[in-house]
Amino acid sequence: MKPTIHSRLPDAGTTIFTKMSVLAQQYKAINLGQGFPDYPMDSRLIDAVSAAMVAGHNQYVHMNGLLTLRERIAEKAETLYGQPVNPDTEITITPGGTYAIYTALTAILQPGDEVIIFEPAYDSYLHNITINGAVPVRIPLMFPGYDIDWEKVLTAITPRTKAIIINSPHNPSGRVLTPADIGSLQKIVKDTGIFIISDEVYEHLIFDGLPHLSMLRYPELKERSFTCFSFGKVYHCTGWKMGYCIAPAAYMAEFRKVHQFNCFTCNSPIQYALADFLSNADAYLNLGADMQKRRDFLGDKMKGSPFEPLPSSGSYFQVYSYAGISDLPELEFAEWLTREVSVTTIPVSAFYKDATNNQVLRFCFAKNEETLSRAAERLVNFKF
Ligand code: GLN
């Protein structure tokens, strides 16, 4: 008799990002689907990694991450968000932001715990919760503004609520938290034992002069948060899979128990290079303006197309409505667009457990102008 797997994730298929990227390759389509830049990263950072390798930094660093890198991160976080972070006890370097979120959830969840997520939700959250035997409690963001209905959050809270996952700037909508959202969140979690898992991988990709309202700014939120970040999004190297998590020492100790028996420790030479590179604040402070230009460039080129943009205040992404074009559900329309128009996008329905359709697609504008122009040209001129 052969062994059989009783699936831990019976409802999970292949992620939409991989699916659409494979389809894009198959049809040689312009890929505005999966979120990654198509322009080169800073070659000085590549040189710094190679210098670290030549210098012999090729063995394990401490399981929590290279201390000098954690020190630079602590300085950066305090400068930007005004609260102290202890590099020794409160920061762990991880292989990417998604891993940090998974590890935080695995550290805190017991079977039967409930976790509030907002849909559309980044597609890993749901499965990170269910694989831990916990129960996702899904609250829809209000279409088309993707605002949070805090009344709904209040009524969703039960004695079993263990955590709320917050994501700002939001993937896929590009919405960012407002001071009113922070006020509501503070009120709701006050006097509860609810953790916050905050996905802030797009912290620097924020537009129109808006500030990033990190959990790290607010002592009463910070003290219950696992805040997750990504170097890939900051330095245009998503394939490096490097990120980190910040949490209060007692919670970080549990996070590290999970981390040490899974990844254990991350790529050493990259950590040496990042520790050097972080001292250049301009690289991340200018990111928002750069990405805003790309958003606006695509928006400009899309004028005259039948797609309607919804506002995006941050991230790599903007949602466009095709309600005036087709009645096809989002996945089918996105597949059609890849096959027939050679432009690949992501159906936002993939971010809902029940595949809610609002006739919208997510476009990634973290691309060079030539790519965006060619894609927009096709989208302005196609016939359905
Ligand atoms: N975060 C990226 C996105 O939203 C993709 C990451 C992935 O493919 N897992 O497109």
Side-chain angles (χ1 to χ4, degrees), residues 69 73 92-97 100 229-232 241-245 266:
L69 175 57
I73 290 169
T92 300
I93 308 300
T94 62
F229 298 93
S230 159
F231 286 115
K241 290 301 297 175
M242 291 291 281
Y244 56 97
C245 180
C266 298

Side-chain angles (χ1 to χ4, degrees), residues 15 17-18 33-36 98 122-123 171 202 233 317 346 351 362:
T15 87
F17 310 113
T18 300
Q34 194 175 24
F36 62 87
T98 304
Y122 185 61
D123 75 337
N171 181 5
Y202 300 106
K233 310 296 188 298
F317 310 115
I346 299 288
F351 296 71
R362 188 194 79 173

Side-chain angles (χ1 to χ4, degrees), residues 187-337:
K187 235 192 259 158
I188 282 178
V189 296
K190 190 170 184 287
D191 301 326
T192 73
I194 298 174
F195 287 99
I196 296 168
I197 312 291
S198 189
D199 176 351
E200 302 186 14
V201 299
Y202 300 106
E203 71 181 315
H204 298 302
L205 305 177
I206 186 158
F207 316 140
D208 309 315
L210 291 164
H212 171 55
L213 302 187
S214 173
M215 296 302 116
L216 301 178
R217 282 182 195 264
Y218 310 96
E220 67 286 16
L221 295 178
K222 177 175 177 271
E223 70 182 16
R224 59 175 73 237
S225 294
F226 289 87
T227 311
C228 305
F229 298 93
S230 159
F231 286 115
K233 310 296 188 298
V234 178
Y235 294 120
H236 310 310
C237 51
T238 60
W240 283 15
K241 290 301 297 175
M242 291 291 281
Y244 56 97
C245 180
I246 297 181
Y251 304 151
M252 186 47 85
E254 287 299 321
F255 180 103
R256 287 171 175 175
K257 285 186 195 171
V258 179
H259 171 66
Q260 72 181 340
F261 295 127
N262 188 10
C263 171
F264 175 56
T265 184
C266 298
N267 184 300
S268 303
I270 291 182
Q271 293 190 61
Y272 279 90
L274 287 170
D276 275 354
F277 218 66
L278 266 185
S279 54
N280 173 17
D282 284 348
Y284 52 82
L285 294 178
N286 294 334
L287 261 183
D290 171 79
M291 207 55 74
Q292 179 177 334
K293 259 196 238 149
R294 297 176 199 275
R295 175 200 65 179
D296 295 343
F297 184 85
L298 177 64
D300 225 44
K301 296 281 168 192
M302 287 287 281
K303 281 190 187 131
S305 93
F307 288 88
E308 277 294 320
L310 272 53
S312 165
S313 301
S315 80
Y316 281 159
F317 310 115
Q318 180 148 21
V319 168
Y320 279 74
S321 167
Y322 64 91
I325 306 171
S326 161
D327 293 332
L328 281 182
E330 292 172 14
L331 179 58
E332 272 175 56
F333 188 69
E335 287 170 349
W336 181 87
L337 212 58

Side-chain angles (χ1 to χ4, degrees), residues 65-75 271-272 275-276 278:
L66 182 71
L67 184 59
T68 52
L69 175 57
R70 286 183 280 136
E71 285 168 350
R72 294 297 89 74
I73 290 169
E75 286 160 16
Q271 293 190 61
Y272 279 90
D276 275 354
L278 266 185

